[in-house]
Structure formats: structure tokens, C-alpha cells
Amino acid sequence: MPDTLTEEVGRRRTFAIISHPDAGKTTLTEKLLLFGGAIQLAGEVKAKKDRIQTRSDWMKIERERGISVVTSVMTFEYNNHVFNLLDTPGHEDFADDTYRTLTAVDAAVMVIDAAKGIEPRTLKLFEVCRLRDIPIITFVNKMDREARNPFDILDEVEQKLALDTAPMTWPIGQGRSFAGTYHLAKSAIRKSDRETELTPVNGPESDAVAGLLPENERATFIEEASLAAEACKPFDLTAFREGHLTPVYFGSALKAFGVRDLIDALGEFAPPPRAQVADTRTVEATDPKMTAFVFKIQANMDPNHRDRIAFVRVCSGKLERGMKARLSRTGKPMSLSAPQFFFASQRQIADTAYAGDVVGIPNHGTLRIGDTLTEGEALVFQGVPNFAPEILRRVRLEDAMKAKKLKEALQQMAEEGVVQLFSPEDGSPAIVGVVGALQLDVLKERLHAEYGLPVSFDLARFSICRWISTADKNDLERFVTSHRGDIARDLDGDPVFLASDQFSLNYEAERWKMIDMVAIKEYQ
Ligand code: GDP
């Protein structure tokens, strides 16, 4: 009897796209979904990007600023693989959300604009991937436009990212003459993504390849493609999976070139769901018992229901509709009665999801970011990060009578990961912290729209926040006692030290060497 779990897990590919705004992430996503049959018409994702903001008031912010703060997951099938594409917000003010999403993927596609090369946001996101050794496939987009020389681009990736490159395809011409992709190792071509199969050819000089180009460009193409085949690093699966080498594909998401090469590469080379580290053991994806963790909470996906969806990555086994799970943080059981899959424009009840899949679990605040679900085992996944906020504010309420309501609302926002909430030990009003200023706008808008609470923000006397811990509990107590006015507790009750500036942080850190002060906390 075939082992269905192993087979199902083996065909899953869970990935994200990292790029600088405007490089073509949305366009590429549309094309991937189109080939995956998840949507009928390319253009639907974009349409969704425009339409979704009307769904609820707080999303007005996105419309006004022309950015997308909505993160979600899209599942599609192609050539017997099941792909889970996790979308990430493009704007850096929501970086913490993006980083957490990257903890739930096994691979990433790095999209580079062929004219611009590596841009700042690509670099930043790449660094996060490197910390986790996430294997990266590179897609050089917009080859149909004025583009840099392919060797230049490969060089830039190697230099700026310290990452080996292995060109897998070579663009047949570029700009207006861009006519398809030539597969270096396979000696085959694809003239457009409308062709599902590659056509074998007799080397770059064959008429079937060079003949696609105007006379004056043929010699250059033949020379460059031959040089790439001989001189560039060959693809090495182990080096790729360890995050040392990236296979590079050239194309145009808009004009539908090279996207099939990319999707084939994801199926062929990207790793199946990897093992995940928990506090007590490492959990293999093919372990028969279900385990999962929450990496994102999203509210108001459907304004008619005011629901909260917890996005969970299944780490092992199979998650079945109706099953009882144990929530590690509380030890309490929870019934998974309506897990959902997400496609481009709709959601659907998930009867069965396997390790690697990402499903949404509707709930009313039971689940928080970083939570672990199991079939009963007391186990907690490590590694979902919480970043020290860069901006700290006190919330000023216009109507002081509503203080209690504000407290509840802030608690909920913090559970969703919209903001972080810190309760000072000295009993003074709570402080909210965010990584980027736009998150404050979102908070303000949502407090108004959903809770009827008009608020403004006051500067707090602190600007830096660090989680504190010690090997010896007594040391921590001494520190807390002598800094009571500068200590607060986060949502989990963990203590933080609030400093007015970098100088005073350094000063205290120097005086209290036994205190660990960290800017990143991993949810436990
Ligand atoms: P995102 O911000 O990374 O999601 O980028 P978009 O997918 O929204 O693309 C930004 C702009 O570049 C849009 O105007 C797209 O139509 C355009 N674009 C995307 N891919 C290509 C491409 O392959 N060729 C050309 N010429 N334009 C493209």
C-alpha cells in the first residue's frame, strides 16, 4: 500500500516571493496562479489588490497610500505538486509580519528587476532568508525591457549577496528582441510560457535558437550562452538546499516568459517540507501526528463576520477538519472545525491538509502568533520571532470614560500582532510599540472603525525596548526592583527594559552585565 502521508508531504512546496516593490511580485504571482489553474484570468490578483480595500474601513489606509498590507496564502497545483505561496506585505513598515511569514516557508523566489539589479529591500529580505538558510531561486524579471547584461546581474548577485549563482536558462535576446529562454544544461528552449514542454535544440548556434533573433544579435547570444554553459558554476542541489547557491532564471512575468521554467524549478529543486525544531525535539514533516504553528493572525477578512483567521503552517502529519488539537500555550483542547484553504479569490473548507500546507483557522481570539497546535503532545515550536519595536507611544483617548474598552481593544490588536503592548510595572498607562510608523496608522484607523475609539498618540519617554533575562532569577529581581519605572511586561508577561535612548541602554547594559538584553524574542 502506498504511504499516502509520505507521498502527499513529498509533493508539497511552500514558498514566498521576496523582492523590492515594483520588481514584479504581483505580476509573477498572477502568472503562477494562472498556470496553476487557481484562477481563470490573469489580472485577478491585481484586481483583488484594488478591490479588497473597500471591504473594511481600516483598509482605507492601504488605498490612500497605494500599498498592500494584506498578507495571505495562495494554494495551487501544478504538475502534481501542491504549492503554497505565502504573500508578504511589500512595505517595510510591516517588516515584522514579513519576517514571521518567512519562518513558515521552505524556499523563496527572489525577483530582481533586470534593469535595477539588487535593490535595498531585496537585500534585507535576502538576509532574513540567509539567517534561516532558506534556499533561494532567482527570477530576473522584465527581460522584455531595457535590461542589464545577464553576466552583470549574475555578478551583482554574487558580489552583493555573497551567494554563488548557477544560470539555468539564458535569455534569447533582451528588450524588444526577447524571444524566449534557452536551457543551458538541457539544450532546449521555450519560446513562451504558452508552451508547456521544452523543445530540444542543437545548441545555442542552432537556427531554432539564434534564428529567433535579429541578425545583429545572434553572434552575441551564441557567444554569451556558450560562455555561460562552459564557464558558470553548474547547478548543485546540495549547495542550493543549504542556501549557498541560487539557480537563476530569466524571464518576463508580464509577457509570460520564463515563468514555467521557474515553476518547474520549484517543483524539481525546492525542498519538500522540512523538519521543524521544537523545544523537546525536532519534528519531521512525515511524523504521523499532526503538529502546526501560528505565524500570522488576520482580522476582518470578511467584514460580515468580523472573524479572525489564524494562519497555521502544518509541520507534520495531517490536519483534518473536526479534529481536536491541543493548544500548547494553555494546554487546553481546541476543535478545528472549519480549517480553510485559500485560493486566489476564494476560500474553501479544508478537509485534509498535510505537512507543508498553510491553512486558516477561524477563531475568536483563542489563537495567538507563535502558538503551537498538536494532537496532544506537549511541544512548542521555536523560532517565530518578535522584534523589539522601534517606535513607542502612549495612546491618548479622547473620551476618558472608555479606558476599559481601549484596554480590551489594545489587547486584541496585540494578540493579532498589529502592535505590541507593554504594561509598565509602575501602573502607568500601557505603551504600544511598532516596528514601522504605518502600523500606528493602522492601529488608529482600526480603533476608530471597529471599536469607535478615536485616539491619538503621545510620545513616550522611552525610545528603545529590550527583553531582559538572567541566568540567576535573583539578578533579574534586583534589576527590576531598582528600575521599576522603566520596566514593563509584554503580552506574555515577559519583562522588558525601556530605555530613553541608546546611551542609557548602553550605560545600563554595562553596569548590569549579568542581564541579557535582546532585541528579538522568539515566541515560546
Ligand atoms: P510588485 O510591486 O513587485 O508587486 O510589482 P508589480 O507586479 O505590481 O509590477 C510593477 C510594474 O511593473 C507594473 O506596472 C507591471 O505591469 C510591471 N511589470 C511587471 N513585470 C513586468 C515584466 O516582466 N515586464 C514589464 N515590461 N513590465 C513588468
Side-chain angles (χ1 to χ4, degrees), residues 165-187:
T165 58
M168 308 299 276
T169 61
W170 204 256
I172 306 173
Q174 57 191 75
R176 253 186 241 163
S177 346
F178 187 41
T181 50
Y182 171 71
H183 282 247
L184 292 164
K186 293 181 181 157
S187 191

Side-chain angles (χ1 to χ4, degrees), residues 235-393:
F235 178 67
D236 173 340
L237 187 65
T238 311
F240 161 64
R241 293 227 173 139
E242 287 173 355
H244 305 313
L245 174 141
T246 180
V248 181
Y249 293 83
F250 294 87
S252 160
L254 188 68
K255 300 278 165 68
F257 287 105
V259 180
R260 275 196 209 272
D261 300 337
L262 178 68
I263 203 170
D264 285 348
L266 279 163
E268 198 175 341
F269 306 129
R274 69 191 149 138
Q276 300 273 353
V277 181
D279 55 347
T280 51
R281 66 187 179 97
T282 296
V283 179
E284 295 296 330
T286 47
D287 275 6
K289 294 272 191 214
M290 189 283 296
T291 60
F293 71 86
V294 179
F295 63 92
K296 183 181 171 65
I297 306 270
Q298 196 163 312
N300 302 328
M301 292 197 45
D302 184 345
N304 301 324
H305 294 98
R306 289 204 37 162
D307 55 351
R308 263 207 235 181
I309 302 275
F311 286 93
V312 309
R313 147 116 191 186
V314 183
C315 298
S316 64
K318 113 180 135 161
L319 185 152
E320 281 175 302
R321 177 184 179 187
M323 81 191 295
K324 278 243 157 21
R326 175 186 189 274
L327 173 57
S328 291
R329 183 169 39 82
T330 59
K332 291 203 176 117
M334 170 172 189
S335 178
L336 308 180
S337 51
Q340 299 173 355
F341 279 128
F342 291 80
F343 302 100
S345 48
Q346 78 222 45
R347 4 180 174 165
Q348 207 174 75
I349 291 289
D351 286 321
T352 313
Y354 292 91
D357 282 337
V358 171
V359 295
I361 299 187
N363 70 102
H364 296 287
T366 322
L367 291 173
R368 289 191 198 171
I369 292 172
D371 273 346
T372 298
L373 294 170
T374 68
E375 281 190 37
E377 188 177 349
L379 158 161
V380 176
F381 285 110
Q382 313 284 290
V384 181
N386 206 1
F387 297 87
E390 316 245 317
I391 302 171
L392 297 166
R393 293 286 183 270

Side-chain angles (χ1 to χ4, degrees), residues 42-91:
E44 222 169 291
V45 177
K46 191 111 222 155
K48 190 175 149 212
K49 217 170 154 184
D50 299 336
R51 188 164 15 100
I52 200 162
Q53 287 87 350
T54 58
R55 284 192 186 167
S56 71
D57 276 343
W58 72 271
M59 284 179 180
K60 269 202 308 223
I61 293 172
E62 290 180 61
R63 195 176 51 223
E64 281 160 11
R65 307 206 182 213
I67 52 161
S68 170
V69 295
V70 177
T71 304
S72 57
V73 54
M74 285 156 270
T75 300
F76 60 96
E77 266 194 85
Y78 182 81
N79 266 357
N80 201 34
H81 283 106
V82 176
F83 295 93
N84 292 292
L85 166 54
L86 275 56
D87 192 18
T88 53
H91 199 285

Side-chain angles (χ1 to χ4, degrees), residues 109-138:
V109 170
M110 175 168 72
V111 180
I112 300 176
D113 182 318
K116 297 189 179 148
I118 303 285
E119 296 176 87
R121 191 106 183 89
T122 327
L123 182 63
K124 194 107 199 258
L125 291 167
F126 168 77
E127 280 164 359
V128 180
C129 291
R130 167 159 281 167
L131 281 179
R132 305 185 169 269
D133 296 324
I134 296 174
I136 299 208
I137 300 178
T138 301

Side-chain angles (χ1 to χ4, degrees), residues 17-31 46 49 87 90 111 113 139-146 178 251-257 259:
I17 299 178
I18 60 170
S19 62
H20 193 84
D22 249 21
K25 188 175 73 165
T26 311
T27 313
L28 180 63
T29 303
E30 283 166 14
K31 286 293 182 332
K46 191 111 222 155
K49 217 170 154 184
D87 192 18
V111 180
D113 182 318
F139 185 74
V140 181
N141 191 30
K142 306 197 187 183
M143 287 306 295
D144 60 307
R145 285 227 299 243
E146 195 70 39
F178 187 41
S252 160
L254 188 68
K255 300 278 165 68
F257 287 105
V259 180

